[in-house]
Amino acid sequence: MSTVQAITLDQVVDTARYPLSQLDGPEGRAVLSRARRELSETGCTVLPDFVRPSLRATLEDECAAIAPQAHHDVETVNVYNIAVDSDLPEDHPGRRTFQRGNAFVARDRVPAESVISRLYSHPAFQDFIARCFGLPRLHELTDPLSGLVLNVVAPGMEHPWHFDTNEFTVSLLTRGAQDGGVFEYCPNIRSAADENFDDVRDVLDGRGERLTRRLPLHPGDLQLFKGRYSLHRVSPVRGDLARHSAIFAYSERPGVIGSVARTRQLFGRVLPEHLAAEGRAVRGDRLLD
């Protein structure tokens, strides 16, 4: 039995600093205002020390215990997660390829009583995240494998430059790398109307320092990020420890299930729910990925 089964949200989250149940009070409005401003300006905001220091060891230990269940697969990819042999012009940034070596523990292997699972499903946490993004409501994914996952980047591996398929991502670092493993991103490098291939190419070819930000993250920090329009990566991890981060995925609409191809790529398996839902996804823009 987990040590957090009987622990309340107030004991997990520093609610004096982040008053999830009193967001309409002055402190809550200030937290929301800062998050919305930073998300609007740079597409990213970090809530440092979101998880109380007293639970960080539990958080790290729980995630380290399930990390061996991650599906590992080193793939040759591009930033758009499309086929690397696609019929693209010679100078197209989609022709730049990378080795992606990060791995994921699927949702059905994350214990329901764990800290990250309790956070993911808690109504007050979901309401807080929705309000930070300026949304009326968020829904947990119906997908039995996605939604809540643990990302594992082993020593010597990286999560190379890419764009997200979804417009926003919520993540919680549970264990940092001894060296490397830095989150880097290029705020709003593209839009729904403009892929901006020239700037993307500059970043991939090592000429994008003017466009790139590096974000120091520490265990217990909560990160909210608009990854659909911001190119980003986790730099190569060095040392003896893998980098672990929990990823909380929500949707503005209910019933979301991942595609068969993407699910198999991430988890090495699909379930009947994925097969039944195939072909029902609706795209919100015409970007490559």
Side-chain angles (χ1 to χ4, degrees):
M1 180 179 296
S2 168
T3 58
V4 300
Q5 275 188 299
I7 292 177
T8 66
L9 185 67
D10 284 346
Q11 292 171 298
V12 174
V13 177
D14 184 352
T15 49
R17 190 171 183 180
Y18 306 108
L20 303 195
S21 300
Q22 300 175 355
L23 294 176
D24 293 321
E27 294 86 359
R29 290 198 302 271
V31 171
L32 291 174
S33 177
R34 181 179 71 84
R36 290 170 180 167
R37 182 181 68 255
E38 292 179 352
L39 284 166
S40 176
E41 293 174 352
T42 67
C44 182
T45 188
V46 174
L47 286 68
D49 300 321
F50 188 79
V51 172
R52 293 186 183 277
S54 60
L55 273 185
R56 300 231 185 105
T58 298
L59 179 71
E60 178 177 346
D61 290 347
E62 287 182 343
C63 292
I66 63 173
Q69 300 184 61
H71 171 67
H72 292 263
D73 187 17
V74 178
E75 297 180 281
T76 301
V77 297
N78 55 33
V79 299
Y80 303 106
N81 288 312
I82 60 175
V84 297
D85 57 355
S86 298
D87 185 17
L88 299 172
E90 196 62 38
D91 65 343
H92 194 288
R95 285 194 172 272
R96 275 62 166 179
T97 59
F98 307 90
Q99 295 298 112
R100 180 174 61 200
N102 62 325
F104 294 93
V105 178
R107 181 180 183 179
D108 63 351
R109 292 175 178 169
V110 178
E113 71 274 10
S114 64
V115 172
I116 58 174
S117 186
R118 291 167 64 86
L119 271 179
Y120 178 69
S121 298
H122 201 287
F125 180 74
Q126 294 179 5
D127 179 58
F128 172 65
I129 297 301
R131 293 175 70 170
C132 283
F133 283 110
L135 301 172
R137 184 182 177 188
L138 289 176
H139 299 271
E140 295 182 30
L141 301 195
T142 303
D143 193 309
L145 300 184
S146 298
L148 171 65
V149 301
L150 182 72
N151 178 229
V152 178
V153 187
M157 297 297 174
E158 64 179 305
H159 195 176
W161 290 113
H162 66 285
F163 292 103
D164 290 341
T165 303
N166 51 311
E167 290 196 18
F168 55 86
T169 302
V170 181
S171 62
L172 177 72
L173 190 69
T174 67
R175 187 171 77 184
Q178 290 175 315
D179 191 19
V182 177
F183 184 82
E184 302 179 356
Y185 70 111
C186 306
N188 301 315
I189 196 171
R190 72 174 181 177
S191 70
D194 184 4
E195 290 274 13
N196 195 9
F197 291 134
D198 289 341
D199 280 350
V200 172
R201 188 185 304 109
D202 280 351
V203 173
L204 303 186
D205 291 347
R207 301 187 304 271
E209 280 297 314
R210 72 189 189 284
L211 302 165
T212 305
R213 299 190 181 197
R214 291 169 179 81
L215 189 65
L217 293 169
H218 306 282
D221 290 353
L222 187 71
Q223 179 188 10
L224 280 61
F225 182 59
K226 292 183 176 180
R228 182 80 177 130
Y229 306 119
S230 296
L231 188 67
H232 54 289
R233 73 168 185 165
V234 174
S235 67
V237 169
R238 297 183 293 272
D240 298 324
L241 294 177
R243 180 187 191 271
H244 295 164
S245 59
I247 300 177
F248 306 85
Y250 302 102
S251 174
E252 294 180 61
R253 65 185 190 279
V256 171
I257 295 178
S259 71
V260 168
R262 183 65 170 154
T263 300
R264 185 173 284 115
Q265 180 187 59
L266 293 177
F267 305 114
R269 57 193 170 108
V270 296
L271 299 177
E273 292 90 336
H274 301 102
L275 298 173
E278 188 71 353
R280 297 207 305 258
V282 177
R283 295 291 300 273
D285 56 52
R286 296 187 178 182
L287 295 172
L288 271 181
D289 55 339

